[in-house]
Coordinates of all heavy atoms in Angstrom, one line a residue:
G96 N -61.1 -1.6 17.6 CA -62.4 -1.5 18.2 C -62.6 -2.5 19.4 O -61.6 -3.0 20.0
L97 N -63.8 -2.8 19.7 CA -64.1 -3.6 20.9 C -65.3 -4.5 20.7 O -66.4 -4.0 20.2 CB -64.4 -2.6 22.0 CG -64.4 -3.1 23.5 CD1 -63.0 -3.6 23.8 CD2 -64.8 -2.0 24.4
I98 N -65.2 -5.7 21.1 CA -66.3 -6.7 20.9 C -66.7 -7.2 22.3 O -65.8 -7.5 23.1 CB -65.9 -7.9 20.1 CG1 -65.3 -7.3 18.8 CG2 -67.0 -8.8 19.8 CD1 -65.5 -7.8 17.5
S99 N -68.0 -7.2 22.6 CA -68.4 -7.6 23.9 C -68.9 -9.1 23.8 O -69.6 -9.5 22.8 CB -69.6 -6.8 24.4 OG -69.2 -5.6 24.9
I100 N -68.6 -9.8 24.8 CA -69.1 -11.2 25.0 C -70.2 -11.1 26.1 O -69.9 -10.7 27.2 CB -68.0 -12.2 25.4 CG1 -66.8 -12.1 24.5 CG2 -68.6 -13.6 25.4 CD1 -67.0 -12.4 23.1
L101 N -71.4 -11.5 25.7 CA -72.5 -11.4 26.7 C -73.1 -12.8 27.0 O -73.3 -13.6 26.1 CB -73.6 -10.5 26.1 CG -73.2 -9.0 26.1 CD1 -72.8 -8.6 24.7 CD2 -74.4 -8.2 26.6
S102 N -73.5 -12.9 28.2 CA -74.3 -14.1 28.6 C -75.8 -13.6 28.4 O -76.2 -12.6 28.9 CB -74.0 -14.4 30.1 OG -74.7 -15.6 30.5
V103 N -76.6 -14.4 27.7 CA -78.0 -14.1 27.4 C -78.9 -15.0 28.0 O -78.7 -16.2 28.0 CB -78.1 -14.1 25.9 CG1 -79.5 -13.6 25.5 CG2 -77.1 -13.2 25.2
F104 N -80.0 -14.5 28.6 CA -81.0 -15.3 29.3 C -82.3 -15.4 28.5 O -82.5 -14.6 27.6 CB -81.3 -14.7 30.7 CG -80.1 -14.7 31.6 CD1 -79.2 -13.6 31.5 CD2 -79.9 -15.7 32.4 CE1 -78.1 -13.6 32.4 CE2 -78.8 -15.7 33.2 CZ -77.9 -14.7 33.2
P105 N -83.1 -16.5 28.7 CA -84.3 -16.7 27.9 C -85.2 -15.5 27.9 O -86.0 -15.3 26.9 CB -84.9 -17.9 28.5 CG -83.8 -18.6 29.2 CD -82.9 -17.6 29.7
D106 N -85.3 -14.7 29.0 CA -86.2 -13.6 29.0 C -85.6 -12.4 28.3 O -86.2 -11.3 28.3 CB -86.5 -13.2 30.5 CG -85.3 -12.7 31.2 OD1 -84.2 -12.6 30.6 OD2 -85.4 -12.4 32.4
G107 N -84.5 -12.5 27.6 CA -83.9 -11.5 26.8 C -82.9 -10.6 27.6 O -82.1 -9.8 26.9
K108 N -82.8 -10.8 28.9 CA -81.8 -10.0 29.6 C -80.4 -10.5 29.3 O -80.2 -11.7 29.0 CB -82.0 -10.1 31.1 CG -83.2 -9.3 31.6 CD -83.4 -9.5 33.1 CE -84.6 -8.7 33.6 NZ -85.0 -9.1 34.9
S109 N -79.4 -9.6 29.4 CA -78.1 -10.0 29.1 C -77.1 -9.2 29.9 O -77.5 -8.1 30.4 CB -77.7 -9.8 27.6 OG -77.9 -8.4 27.3
V110 N -75.9 -9.8 30.1 CA -74.9 -9.1 30.9 C -73.5 -9.4 30.3 O -73.3 -10.5 29.8 CB -74.9 -9.4 32.4 CG1 -74.7 -10.8 32.7 CG2 -74.0 -8.5 33.2
E111 N -72.7 -8.4 30.2 CA -71.4 -8.6 29.6 C -70.5 -9.5 30.5 O -70.4 -9.2 31.7 CB -70.7 -7.3 29.4 CG -69.4 -7.4 28.6 CD -68.8 -6.1 28.4 OE1 -68.2 -5.5 29.4 OE2 -68.8 -5.6 27.3
V112 N -69.8 -10.5 30.0 CA -68.9 -11.3 30.7 C -67.5 -11.3 30.1 O -66.6 -11.9 30.7 CB -69.4 -12.8 30.8 CG1 -70.6 -12.8 31.7 CG2 -69.7 -13.3 29.5
G113 N -67.3 -10.6 29.0 CA -66.0 -10.6 28.4 C -65.8 -9.4 27.4 O -66.8 -8.9 26.9
L114 N -64.6 -9.0 27.2 CA -64.3 -7.9 26.3 C -63.1 -8.3 25.5 O -62.1 -8.8 26.0 CB -63.9 -6.6 27.1 CG -64.9 -5.7 27.7 CD1 -64.3 -4.7 28.6 CD2 -65.7 -5.0 26.5
V115 N -63.2 -8.1 24.1 CA -62.2 -8.6 23.2 C -61.8 -7.4 22.3 O -62.6 -6.8 21.7 CB -62.6 -9.8 22.4 CG1 -61.5 -10.2 21.4 CG2 -62.9 -11.0 23.3
G116 N -60.5 -7.1 22.3 CA -60.0 -6.1 21.4 C -58.9 -6.7 20.5 O -59.0 -7.9 20.2
K117 N -57.9 -5.9 20.1 CA -56.9 -6.3 19.1 C -56.0 -7.4 19.7 O -55.2 -8.0 19.0 CB -56.1 -5.2 18.6 CG -55.3 -4.5 19.6 CD -54.6 -3.3 19.0 CE -53.7 -2.5 19.9 NZ -54.4 -2.1 21.2
E118 N -56.1 -7.7 21.0 CA -55.3 -8.8 21.5 C -56.0 -10.2 21.2 O -55.4 -11.2 21.5 CB -55.2 -8.7 23.1 CG -56.4 -9.2 23.9 CD -57.6 -8.3 23.8 OE1 -57.6 -7.3 23.1 OE2 -58.6 -8.7 24.4
G119 N -57.2 -10.2 20.7 CA -58.0 -11.4 20.7 C -58.7 -11.9 19.5 O -58.4 -11.4 18.4
F120 N -59.6 -12.8 19.7 CA -60.2 -13.6 18.7 C -61.6 -14.0 19.0 O -61.9 -14.2 20.2 CB -59.3 -14.9 18.6 CG -59.8 -16.0 17.7 CD1 -59.5 -15.9 16.3 CD2 -60.5 -17.0 18.2 CE1 -59.9 -17.0 15.5 CE2 -60.9 -18.1 17.4 CZ -60.6 -18.1 16.1
I121 N -62.5 -14.0 18.1 CA -63.9 -14.4 18.3 C -64.1 -15.7 17.5 O -63.8 -15.7 16.3 CB -64.9 -13.3 17.8 CG1 -64.7 -12.0 18.5 CG2 -66.3 -13.8 17.9 CD1 -65.0 -12.0 20.0
G122 N -64.5 -16.7 18.2 CA -64.7 -18.0 17.5 C -64.0 -19.2 18.2 O -63.7 -20.2 17.6
I123 N -63.8 -19.0 19.5 CA -63.0 -19.9 20.3 C -63.5 -21.4 20.2 O -62.7 -22.3 20.1 CB -62.9 -19.4 21.7 CG1 -61.8 -18.3 21.8 CG2 -62.5 -20.6 22.7 CD1 -61.8 -17.6 23.1
P124 N -64.8 -21.6 20.2 CA -65.3 -23.0 20.2 C -64.7 -23.8 19.0 O -64.4 -25.0 19.1 CB -66.8 -22.9 20.1 CG -67.1 -21.6 20.8 CD -66.0 -20.7 20.4
L125 N -64.4 -23.1 17.9 CA -63.9 -23.7 16.7 C -62.5 -24.4 16.9 O -62.2 -25.4 16.3 CB -63.8 -22.7 15.5 CG -65.1 -22.0 15.1 CD1 -64.8 -20.9 14.1 CD2 -66.0 -23.0 14.5
V126 N -61.8 -23.8 17.8 CA -60.4 -24.2 18.0 C -60.3 -25.6 18.6 O -59.4 -26.4 18.3 CB -59.7 -23.2 19.0 CG1 -58.2 -23.6 19.3 CG2 -59.8 -21.8 18.5
V127 N -61.4 -26.0 19.3 CA -61.4 -27.4 19.9 C -62.4 -28.3 19.2 O -62.9 -29.3 19.7 CB -61.6 -27.4 21.4 CG1 -60.4 -26.8 22.1 CG2 -62.9 -26.6 21.8
G128 N -62.8 -27.9 18.0 CA -63.7 -28.7 17.2 C -65.2 -28.5 17.4 O -66.0 -29.3 16.9
F129 N -65.6 -27.6 18.3 CA -67.0 -27.3 18.5 C -67.5 -26.3 17.4 O -66.7 -25.6 16.8 CB -67.2 -26.6 19.9 CG -66.9 -27.5 21.0 CD1 -66.5 -27.0 22.3 CD2 -66.8 -28.9 20.9 CE1 -66.2 -27.8 23.4 CE2 -66.5 -29.7 22.0 CZ -66.2 -29.1 23.2
R130 N -68.8 -26.3 17.2 CA -69.4 -25.5 16.1 C -70.3 -24.4 16.6 O -70.7 -23.5 15.9 CB -70.1 -26.4 15.1 CG -69.2 -27.4 14.4 CD -68.5 -26.6 13.3 NE -67.4 -27.4 12.8 CZ -66.8 -27.2 11.6 NH1 -67.2 -26.2 10.9 NH2 -65.8 -27.9 11.2
T131 N -70.9 -24.6 17.8 CA -72.0 -23.8 18.2 C -71.5 -22.7 19.2 O -70.7 -23.0 20.1 CB -73.0 -24.7 18.9 OG1 -73.3 -25.8 18.1 CG2 -74.3 -23.9 19.1
A132 N -72.0 -21.5 19.1 CA -71.7 -20.5 20.1 C -72.5 -20.6 21.3 O -73.7 -21.0 21.3 CB -72.0 -19.1 19.4
A133 N -71.9 -20.3 22.5 CA -72.6 -20.4 23.8 C -72.9 -19.0 24.3 O -73.6 -18.9 25.3 CB -71.7 -21.1 24.8
T134 N -72.4 -18.0 23.6 CA -72.6 -16.6 24.1 C -73.0 -15.7 22.9 O -72.9 -16.1 21.8 CB -71.3 -16.1 24.7 OG1 -70.2 -16.2 23.7 CG2 -70.9 -16.8 26.0
R135 N -73.3 -14.5 23.2 CA -73.5 -13.4 22.2 C -72.2 -12.7 22.0 O -71.6 -12.3 23.0 CB -74.6 -12.5 22.6 CG -74.8 -11.3 21.6 CD -75.9 -10.3 22.1 NE -77.2 -11.0 22.1 CZ -78.2 -10.5 22.8 NH1 -78.1 -9.4 23.5 NH2 -79.4 -11.2 22.7
A136 N -71.8 -12.5 20.8 CA -70.6 -11.6 20.5 C -71.2 -10.4 19.7 O -71.7 -10.6 18.6 CB -69.5 -12.4 19.8
I137 N -71.0 -9.2 20.2 CA -71.6 -8.1 19.6 C -70.5 -6.9 19.6 O -69.8 -6.8 20.5 CB -72.9 -7.6 20.3 CG1 -73.6 -6.5 19.5 CG2 -72.7 -7.2 21.7 CD1 -75.0 -6.3 19.9
V138 N -70.5 -6.2 18.5 CA -69.5 -5.1 18.4 C -70.0 -3.9 19.3 O -71.1 -3.4 19.2 CB -69.4 -4.6 16.9 CG1 -68.4 -3.5 16.8 CG2 -69.0 -5.8 16.0
Q139 N -69.1 -3.6 20.2 CA -69.4 -2.5 21.2 C -68.9 -1.2 20.7 O -69.6 -0.2 20.8 CB -68.6 -2.9 22.4 CG -68.8 -2.0 23.6 CD -70.2 -2.2 24.2 OE1 -71.1 -1.4 23.9 NE2 -70.4 -3.2 24.9
I140 N -67.7 -1.2 20.1 CA -67.1 0.0 19.5 C -66.7 -0.4 18.1 O -66.0 -1.4 17.9 CB -65.9 0.5 20.3 CG1 -66.4 1.0 21.7 CG2 -65.2 1.7 19.6 CD1 -65.2 1.4 22.7
E141 N -67.1 0.4 17.1 CA -66.8 0.2 15.7 C -65.4 -0.5 15.6 O -64.4 0.1 16.1 CB -66.8 1.5 14.9 CG -66.8 1.2 13.4 CD -67.0 2.6 12.7 OE1 -66.6 3.6 13.2 OE2 -67.6 2.5 11.6
A142 N -65.4 -1.6 14.8 CA -64.2 -2.4 14.8 C -63.7 -2.8 13.4 O -64.5 -2.6 12.5 CB -64.4 -3.6 15.7
S143 N -62.5 -3.3 13.3 CA -62.1 -4.0 12.1 C -61.5 -5.3 12.6 O -61.1 -5.5 13.7 CB -61.1 -3.2 11.3 OG -59.9 -3.1 12.1
A144 N -61.6 -6.3 11.6 CA -61.1 -7.6 12.0 C -60.7 -8.3 10.7 O -61.0 -7.9 9.6 CB -62.2 -8.4 12.6
Y145 N -59.9 -9.4 10.9 CA -59.6 -10.3 9.8 C -60.5 -11.5 10.0 O -60.4 -12.2 11.0 CB -58.1 -10.7 9.8 CG -57.3 -9.5 9.2 CD1 -56.7 -8.6 10.0 CD2 -57.1 -9.4 7.9 CE1 -56.0 -7.5 9.5 CE2 -56.4 -8.4 7.3 CZ -55.9 -7.4 8.1 OH -55.2 -6.4 7.6
R146 N -61.3 -11.7 9.0 CA -62.3 -12.8 9.1 C -61.8 -14.1 8.4 O -61.1 -13.9 7.4 CB -63.6 -12.4 8.4 CG -64.8 -13.3 8.6 CD -65.9 -12.9 7.7 NE -65.7 -13.3 6.3 CZ -65.8 -14.5 5.9 NH1 -66.2 -15.5 6.6 NH2 -65.5 -14.8 4.6
I147 N -62.2 -15.2 8.9 CA -61.8 -16.5 8.2 C -63.0 -17.5 8.4 O -63.6 -17.5 9.4 CB -60.5 -17.1 8.8 CG1 -60.0 -18.3 8.0 CG2 -60.6 -17.4 10.3 CD1 -58.6 -18.8 8.3
D148 N -63.3 -18.2 7.3 CA -64.3 -19.2 7.4 C -64.0 -20.3 8.4 O -62.8 -20.6 8.6 CB -64.5 -19.9 6.0 CG -65.1 -19.0 5.0 OD1 -65.8 -18.1 5.4 OD2 -64.8 -19.3 3.8
S149 N -65.0 -20.8 9.1 CA -64.7 -21.8 10.1 C -64.0 -23.0 9.6 O -63.1 -23.5 10.2 CB -66.0 -22.2 10.9 OG -67.0 -22.6 10.0
E150 N -64.5 -23.5 8.4 CA -63.8 -24.7 7.8 C -62.4 -24.5 7.5 O -61.5 -25.3 7.7 CB -64.6 -25.2 6.6 CG -65.9 -25.8 6.8 CD -67.0 -24.8 7.0 OE1 -66.8 -23.6 6.7 OE2 -68.1 -25.2 7.4
T151 N -62.2 -23.3 6.9 CA -60.8 -22.9 6.5 C -59.9 -22.8 7.8 O -58.8 -23.3 7.8 CB -60.8 -21.6 5.8 OG1 -61.7 -21.6 4.8 CG2 -59.4 -21.3 5.2
L152 N -60.4 -22.2 8.8 CA -59.6 -22.1 10.1 C -59.3 -23.5 10.6 O -58.1 -23.8 10.9 CB -60.4 -21.4 11.1 CG -59.7 -21.3 12.5 CD1 -58.5 -20.3 12.4 CD2 -60.7 -20.9 13.6
T153 N -60.3 -24.4 10.6 CA -60.0 -25.8 11.1 C -58.9 -26.4 10.3 O -58.0 -27.1 10.9 CB -61.3 -26.6 11.0 OG1 -62.4 -25.8 11.7 CG2 -61.2 -27.9 11.7
S154 N -58.9 -26.3 9.0 CA -57.9 -27.0 8.2 C -56.5 -26.3 8.4 O -55.5 -27.0 8.5 CB -58.3 -27.1 6.8 OG -58.3 -25.8 6.2
V155 N -56.5 -25.0 8.5 CA -55.3 -24.3 8.6 C -54.6 -24.6 10.0 O -53.4 -24.7 10.1 CB -55.5 -22.7 8.5 CG1 -54.3 -22.0 9.0 CG2 -55.7 -22.4 7.0
L156 N -55.4 -24.8 11.0 CA -54.9 -25.0 12.3 C -54.0 -26.2 12.4 O -53.1 -26.3 13.2 CB -56.0 -25.1 13.4 CG -56.6 -23.8 13.9 CD1 -57.7 -24.1 15.0 CD2 -55.5 -23.0 14.6
R157 N -54.4 -27.2 11.6 CA -53.6 -28.5 11.6 C -52.2 -28.3 11.1 O -51.3 -29.0 11.5 CB -54.3 -29.5 10.7 CG -55.6 -30.0 11.2 CD -56.1 -31.2 10.4 NE -57.6 -31.3 10.5 CZ -58.5 -31.0 9.6 NH1 -58.1 -30.7 8.4 NH2 -59.7 -31.1 9.8
Q158 N -52.0 -27.2 10.4 CA -50.7 -26.9 9.8 C -50.0 -25.8 10.6 O -48.9 -25.4 10.2 CB -50.7 -26.5 8.3 CG -51.5 -27.6 7.5 CD -51.8 -27.0 6.1 OE1 -51.0 -26.7 5.3 NE2 -53.1 -26.8 5.9
C159 N -50.6 -25.2 11.5 CA -50.1 -24.0 12.2 C -50.1 -24.2 13.7 O -51.0 -23.7 14.5 CB -51.0 -22.8 11.9 SG -50.9 -22.3 10.2
P160 N -49.1 -25.0 14.2 CA -49.0 -25.3 15.7 C -48.9 -24.0 16.6 O -49.5 -24.0 17.7 CB -47.8 -26.2 15.8 CG -47.0 -26.0 14.6 CD -48.0 -25.6 13.5
S161 N -48.2 -23.0 16.1 CA -48.0 -21.8 16.9 C -49.4 -21.1 17.0 O -49.8 -20.6 18.1 CB -47.0 -20.9 16.2 OG -46.9 -19.7 17.0
L162 N -50.1 -21.0 15.9 CA -51.4 -20.3 15.9 C -52.4 -21.1 16.9 O -53.1 -20.5 17.7 CB -52.0 -20.3 14.5 CG -53.4 -19.7 14.4 CD1 -53.5 -18.3 14.9 CD2 -54.0 -19.8 13.0
E163 N -52.3 -22.4 16.7 CA -53.2 -23.3 17.6 C -52.9 -23.0 19.0 O -53.8 -22.9 19.9 CB -53.0 -24.7 17.2 CG -54.0 -25.6 17.9 CD -54.0 -27.0 17.4 OE1 -52.9 -27.5 17.0 OE2 -55.1 -27.7 17.3
L164 N -51.6 -23.0 19.4 CA -51.3 -22.8 20.8 C -51.7 -21.4 21.3 O -52.3 -21.3 22.3 CB -49.7 -22.9 20.9 CG -49.2 -22.6 22.3 CD1 -49.7 -23.6 23.4 CD2 -47.6 -22.6 22.3
Q165 N -51.5 -20.4 20.4 CA -51.9 -19.0 20.8 C -53.4 -19.0 21.0 O -53.9 -18.3 21.9 CB -51.6 -18.1 19.7 CG -50.1 -17.9 19.5 CD -49.6 -16.5 20.0 OE1 -50.3 -15.8 20.7 NE2 -48.4 -16.2 19.6
L166 N -54.2 -19.7 20.2 CA -55.6 -19.6 20.4 C -56.1 -20.4 21.6 O -57.0 -20.0 22.3 CB -56.3 -20.1 19.1 CG -56.2 -19.2 17.9 CD1 -56.9 -19.9 16.6 CD2 -56.7 -17.8 18.1
H167 N -55.4 -21.5 21.9 CA -55.7 -22.2 23.2 C -55.3 -21.3 24.4 O -56.1 -21.2 25.3 CB -54.9 -23.5 23.3 CG -55.5 -24.6 22.5 ND1 -56.7 -25.1 22.8 CD2 -55.1 -25.3 21.4 CE1 -57.0 -26.1 22.0 NE2 -56.0 -26.2 21.1
Q168 N -54.2 -20.6 24.3 CA -53.9 -19.7 25.4 C -54.9 -18.5 25.5 O -55.3 -18.2 26.6 CB -52.4 -19.1 25.1 CG -51.4 -20.2 25.3 CD -50.0 -19.7 25.0 OE1 -49.8 -18.7 24.3 NE2 -49.0 -20.4 25.4
F169 N -55.3 -18.0 24.4 CA -56.3 -16.9 24.5 C -57.6 -17.4 25.0 O -58.3 -16.7 25.8 CB -56.5 -16.3 23.1 CG -57.5 -15.1 23.1 CD1 -57.2 -13.9 23.8 CD2 -58.8 -15.2 22.6 CE1 -58.1 -12.9 23.9 CE2 -59.7 -14.2 22.7 CZ -59.3 -13.0 23.3
S170 N -57.9 -18.6 24.7 CA -59.2 -19.3 25.2 C -59.1 -19.3 26.7 O -60.1 -19.1 27.4 CB -59.3 -20.7 24.6 OG -60.1 -21.4 25.4
Q171 N -57.9 -19.6 27.2 CA -57.7 -19.7 28.7 C -57.8 -18.3 29.3 O -58.4 -18.2 30.4 CB -56.4 -20.4 29.0 CG -56.2 -20.7 30.4 CD -57.2 -21.7 31.0 OE1 -57.6 -22.6 30.3 NE2 -57.7 -21.4 32.2
I172 N -57.3 -17.3 28.6 CA -57.3 -16.0 29.2 C -58.8 -15.5 29.2 O -59.2 -14.9 30.2 CB -56.5 -15.0 28.3 CG1 -55.0 -15.3 28.5 CG2 -56.8 -13.5 28.5 CD1 -54.0 -14.6 27.6
I173 N -59.5 -15.8 28.2 CA -61.0 -15.3 28.1 C -61.7 -16.1 29.2 O -62.6 -15.5 29.9 CB -61.6 -15.6 26.7 CG1 -61.2 -14.5 25.8 CG2 -63.1 -15.8 26.8 CD1 -61.9 -13.1 26.1
S174 N -61.4 -17.3 29.4 CA -62.1 -18.1 30.4 C -61.9 -17.5 31.8 O -62.8 -17.4 32.6 CB -61.6 -19.6 30.4 OG -62.1 -20.3 31.4
M175 N -60.6 -17.1 32.1 CA -60.3 -16.5 33.3 C -61.0 -15.2 33.5 O -61.6 -14.8 34.5 CB -58.7 -16.3 33.4 CG -58.2 -15.6 34.6 SD -58.2 -13.8 34.5 CE -56.9 -13.5 33.2
Q176 N -61.1 -14.4 32.4 CA -61.7 -13.1 32.4 C -63.2 -13.2 32.7 O -63.8 -12.5 33.5 CB -61.5 -12.4 31.0 CG -61.9 -11.0 31.0 CD -61.9 -10.4 29.5 OE1 -63.0 -10.2 28.9 NE2 -60.8 -10.2 29.0
V177 N -63.8 -14.2 32.0 CA -65.3 -14.5 32.2 C -65.6 -14.8 33.6 O -66.5 -14.4 34.2 CB -65.8 -15.6 31.2 CG1 -67.2 -16.1 31.6 CG2 -65.8 -15.0 29.8
T178 N -64.7 -15.7 34.2 CA -64.9 -16.1 35.6 C -64.8 -14.9 36.5 O -65.7 -14.7 37.4 CB -63.8 -17.1 36.0 OG1 -63.9 -18.2 35.0 CG2 -64.1 -17.7 37.4
Q179 N -63.8 -14.1 36.3 CA -63.6 -12.9 37.2 C -64.7 -11.9 37.1 O -65.2 -11.4 38.0 CB -62.3 -12.2 36.8 CG -61.8 -11.2 37.8 CD -61.4 -11.8 39.1 OE1 -60.7 -12.8 39.2 NE2 -61.8 -11.1 40.2
I180 N -65.2 -11.7 35.8 CA -66.2 -10.7 35.6 C -67.6 -11.2 36.2 O -68.4 -10.4 36.7 CB -66.4 -10.3 34.1 CG1 -65.1 -9.5 33.7 CG2 -67.6 -9.4 33.8 CD1 -65.0 -9.1 32.2
A181 N -67.8 -12.5 36.1 CA -69.0 -13.1 36.6 C -69.0 -12.8 38.2 O -70.1 -12.4 38.7 CB -69.1 -14.6 36.4
A182 N -67.9 -13.0 38.8 CA -67.8 -12.7 40.3 C -68.0 -11.3 40.5 O -68.6 -10.8 41.5 CB -66.5 -13.3 40.8
C183 N -67.3 -10.5 39.7 CA -67.3 -9.0 39.8 C -68.8 -8.5 39.7 O -69.2 -7.7 40.6 CB -66.5 -8.4 38.7 SG -66.4 -6.6 38.8
N184 N -69.5 -9.0 38.7 CA -70.9 -8.6 38.6 C -71.8 -8.9 39.8 O -72.7 -8.2 40.1 CB -71.6 -9.2 37.4 CG -71.0 -8.7 36.0 OD1 -70.5 -7.5 36.0 ND2 -71.1 -9.4 35.0
R185 N -71.4 -9.9 40.5 CA -72.2 -10.3 41.7 C -71.8 -9.6 43.0 O -72.6 -9.3 43.8 CB -72.0 -11.8 41.9 CG -72.6 -12.4 43.2 CD -74.1 -12.4 43.2 NE -74.6 -12.9 44.4 CZ -74.7 -12.2 45.6 NH1 -74.3 -11.0 45.6 NH2 -75.2 -12.8 46.6
L186 N -70.5 -9.3 43.1 CA -69.9 -8.8 44.4 C -69.6 -7.3 44.5 O -69.6 -6.8 45.6 CB -68.7 -9.6 44.7 CG -68.9 -11.1 45.0 CD1 -67.5 -11.8 45.2 CD2 -69.8 -11.4 46.2
H187 N -69.3 -6.7 43.3 CA -68.8 -5.4 43.4 C -69.8 -4.3 43.0 O -70.7 -4.6 42.2 CB -67.5 -5.2 42.6 CG -66.4 -6.1 43.2 ND1 -65.4 -6.7 42.4 CD2 -66.2 -6.4 44.5 CE1 -64.6 -7.4 43.2 NE2 -65.1 -7.2 44.5
E188 N -69.6 -3.1 43.6 CA -70.6 -2.0 43.3 C -70.4 -1.4 42.0 O -69.4 -1.5 41.3 CB -70.4 -0.9 44.4 CG -70.6 -1.5 45.8 CD -72.0 -2.0 46.1 OE1 -73.0 -1.4 45.5 OE2 -72.2 -3.0 46.9
V189 N -71.5 -0.7 41.5 CA -71.5 -0.1 40.2 C -70.3 0.8 39.9 O -69.7 0.7 38.9 CB -72.8 0.5 39.8 CG1 -72.8 1.2 38.5 CG2 -73.9 -0.6 39.8

Side-chain angles (χ1 to χ4, degrees):
L97 195 64
I98 310 225
S99 278
I100 309 296
L101 289 101
S102 185
V103 184
F104 296 87
D106 64 2
K108 286 183 182 163
S109 61
V110 64
E111 185 180 75
V112 290
L114 277 171
V115 178
K117 64 184 183 303
E118 83 290 356
F120 172 84
I121 300 291
I123 283 171
L125 300 171
V126 181
V127 289
F129 297 156
R130 295 280 165 164
T131 313
T134 53
R135 173 183 294 162
I137 189 167
V138 179
Q139 181 74 258
I140 295 174
E141 193 175 31
S143 66
Y145 283 94
R146 191 192 72 79
I147 186 167
D148 289 336
S149 54
E150 288 83 10
T151 310
L152 176 73
T153 306
S154 69
V155 165
L156 276 181
R157 290 190 204 111
Q158 305 164 70
C159 295
S161 177
L162 175 62
E163 187 172 34
L164 176 63
Q165 293 253 13
L166 292 178
H167 278 295
Q168 288 174 343
F169 182 68
S170 161
Q171 190 59 41
I172 287 169
I173 277 289
S174 171
M175 178 273 291
Q176 191 191 105
V177 166
T178 305
Q179 189 70 40
I180 293 178
C183 182
N184 286 338
R185 172 69 182 82
L186 294 175
H187 294 147
E188 301 298 326
V189 175

